[in-house]
Amino acid sequence: MALFPTYVKREMVPAKGEGNVLIDEQGKRYLDFTSGLGVCNLGHCHPRVTAALTEQASCLWHVSNLFPIPIQQRVAERLTQATGMGAAFFCNSGAEANEAAIKLVRKAAQEKRGITNPEILTFKGSFHGRTLATLTATGQEKVKTGFSPLPAGFVTIAPEMEAVREATHEQTAAVMLELVQGEGGVCPIDPTFLQELVLFCHERGLLLVVDEIQTGMGRTGTLFAAQQYGLHPDVMTVAKGLGNGLPVGAMLARAELKEHFGVGSHGTTFGGNPLVMAAANAVLEELEQESLLGQVREMGEYLCSLLQERIGEHPAVTQIRGMGLMIGIQLLQEAGPIITSCEKEGLLVLPAGPNVIRLLPPLLVTKEEVKVAVTTLAHVLTRQMSTPQVG
């Protein structure tokens, strides 16, 4: 094996994708409720995205950001108009988008407020990436083990206003958070806490950075989860579903922050090249249809209600939570064996920590596919976890 063993590989080897289904080398079909870790929001090989990629691939793949890229400008306009932001920076991943956000708020804090050692507050249970800066920002110790010394400038606290007030001082520059902690267990933020936090940031002059890498691009039933909270952050990061499988990320910021990211302040070789922008543009064209986002909300409600009906009273299940088509099922013991059994039954699901099953179906999932998934999950739970053991 010529690869570093950084992942525990599954047995199933995908050979082809068709919409909401993956097909392995033997031709077995699997209902995909992972969406490639929340990336293929429109399913596999979506016709509009495929057509846009095919057309773009035949004329121009890459030129670098030293040249104007018209389709990049179009995608930036679509994103800024949808969010009320003033500018976009394109990169290759969610971690890179968060790196750009970190750099921007640090630079703004130094140039605007005279802060010499800016700190960013983050929250326990969060996940912001695996670069040195973003894993330090992440509120989970497991991703930090073995990588010391970690960079300074981050303080991770409990998602409580008392903790925020205690941690804030003259060097505090920003607060960074997810509206639904994905890797942290699919945990939606408390609306009351968020409301108080927004007011506090405004009063103290702190920038608010919202990580929408997993919640964005329609996953929660609106283009971005912030829209459901009436939230207008200073900085927003997106990735995953933006390219539907093409590597792309974006950092969006308010217009007044644009001056802090001038010529030479940041850069990327591949970010925002014509090929990935063609995919992103096609994705946004599809997601601009209100009927699609309405379907996400409808299917999300249906999935949650069916889960509650079929497994909500199961002795192994303690909670079913989430937003839209981003659902977490909290268990009394490890989720791994259940996930493996679901795969053998033709259903692909994800973990979100050791005791949570995470469901991230494509946004175009049908009612029949939801029924199949819940039936499979209920069958596996009944068979394997009828006598739960505390993990």
Side-chain angles (χ1 to χ4, degrees):
M1 191 74 171
L3 295 170
F4 276 103
T6 52
Y7 289 90
V8 177
K9 300 288 187 179
R10 297 192 178 192
E11 292 184 8
M12 180 265 200
V13 181
K16 187 177 181 181
E18 295 177 352
N20 305 334
V21 171
L22 278 174
I23 304 167
D24 70 13
E25 293 179 318
Q26 286 72 47
K28 181 178 177 180
R29 299 173 69 86
Y30 298 78
L31 185 55
D32 185 7
F33 269 46
T34 74
S35 299
L37 287 173
V39 168
C40 298
N41 282 6
L42 298 180
H44 299 283
C45 302
H46 187 275
R48 184 190 287 267
V49 182
T50 300
L53 280 172
T54 302
E55 181 180 354
Q56 186 63 51
S58 67
C59 58
L60 186 65
W61 291 25
H62 178 79
V63 293
S64 92
N65 285 292
L66 296 176
F67 298 91
I69 303 174
I71 195 168
Q72 185 186 96
Q73 179 63 32
R74 286 202 294 276
V75 175
E77 288 171 355
R78 275 199 153 98
L79 286 171
T80 53
Q81 288 171 7
T83 59
M85 293 295 189
F89 177 87
F90 292 106
C91 50
N92 307 289
S93 68
E96 287 184 45
N98 282 337
E99 283 274 351
I102 290 164
K103 288 180 67 174
L104 177 62
V105 299
R106 284 183 173 185
K107 199 163 185 288
Q110 293 179 62
E111 294 177 352
K112 190 173 182 179
R113 295 177 55 197
I115 294 177
T116 54
N117 295 293
E119 286 186 351
I120 298 173
L121 303 184
T122 66
F123 296 105
K124 292 179 180 178
S126 62
F127 184 86
H128 298 295
R130 290 185 180 272
T131 64
L132 280 175
T134 57
L135 71 82
T136 307
T138 292
Q140 301 183 49
E141 289 303 314
K142 65 181 182 181
V143 305
K144 306 179 187 185
T145 303
F147 298 113
S148 296
L150 300 178
F154 301 93
V155 178
T156 300
I157 57 176
E160 302 167 355
M161 279 312 303
E162 183 179 354
V164 173
R165 293 188 183 95
E166 289 179 357
T168 301
H169 54 89
E170 66 278 0
Q171 297 296 311
T172 306
V175 177
M176 187 175 191
L177 56 83
E178 299 164 280
L179 297 176
V180 182
Q181 290 185 342
E183 301 295 325
V186 193
C187 300
I189 197 167
D190 176 64
T192 301
F193 166 67
L194 180 62
Q195 186 177 29
E196 293 176 356
L197 178 65
V198 170
L199 289 173
F200 181 81
C201 287
H202 181 72
E203 291 169 359
R204 299 297 294 267
L206 308 181
L207 294 176
L208 184 62
V209 181
V210 173
D211 178 338
E212 290 251 23
I213 288 161
Q214 191 165 151
T215 55
M217 309 315 299
R219 173 56 55 187
T220 64
T222 47
L223 191 59
F224 298 101
Q227 293 166 328
Q228 296 187 48
Y229 291 95
L231 179 62
H232 301 282
D234 299 290
V235 181
M236 179 186 291
T237 55
V238 298
K240 286 190 180 291
L242 179 58
N244 209 60
L246 273 287
V248 57
M251 186 271 291
L252 312 172
R254 285 183 179 271
E256 54 266 32
L257 293 173
K258 195 173 181 179
E259 63 181 286
H260 302 293
F261 246 27
V263 173
S265 58
H266 197 43
T268 170
T269 297
F270 297 105
N273 72 49
L275 196 62
V276 298
M277 289 293 97
N281 191 57
V283 168
L284 285 165
E285 285 179 345
E286 199 72 12
L287 291 176
E288 284 171 358
Q289 301 177 47
E290 177 56 32
S291 60
L292 192 155
L293 294 175
Q295 179 181 330
V296 174
R297 294 190 290 272
E298 180 183 345
M299 287 298 104
E301 291 173 4
Y302 180 65
L303 175 55
C304 273
S305 66
L306 198 58
L307 285 168
Q308 291 287 359
E309 177 186 320
R310 296 292 302 276
I311 66 171
E313 300 300 319
H314 192 285
V317 176
T318 62
Q319 190 180 27
I320 298 168
R321 56 180 179 256
M323 288 177 64
L325 287 172
M326 184 176 181
I327 307 296
I329 303 166
Q330 183 79 44
L331 304 175
L332 282 173
Q333 60 189 70
E334 290 192 0
I338 303 304
I339 292 170
T340 299
S341 293
C342 283
E343 181 175 315
K344 291 178 180 178
E345 297 290 332
L347 173 66
L348 303 177
V349 296
L350 293 164
N355 302 97
V356 177
I357 296 171
R358 179 173 27 162
L359 306 181
L360 298 175
L363 307 187
L364 299 171
V365 68
T366 67
K367 199 168 187 178
E368 288 305 311
E369 289 169 334
V370 168
K371 289 179 183 178
V372 169
V374 174
T375 298
T376 302
L377 188 55
H379 171 69
V380 170
L381 277 169
T382 299
R383 187 178 65 209
Q384 291 204 9
M385 299 179 68
S386 57
T387 308
Q389 300 175 9
V390 177

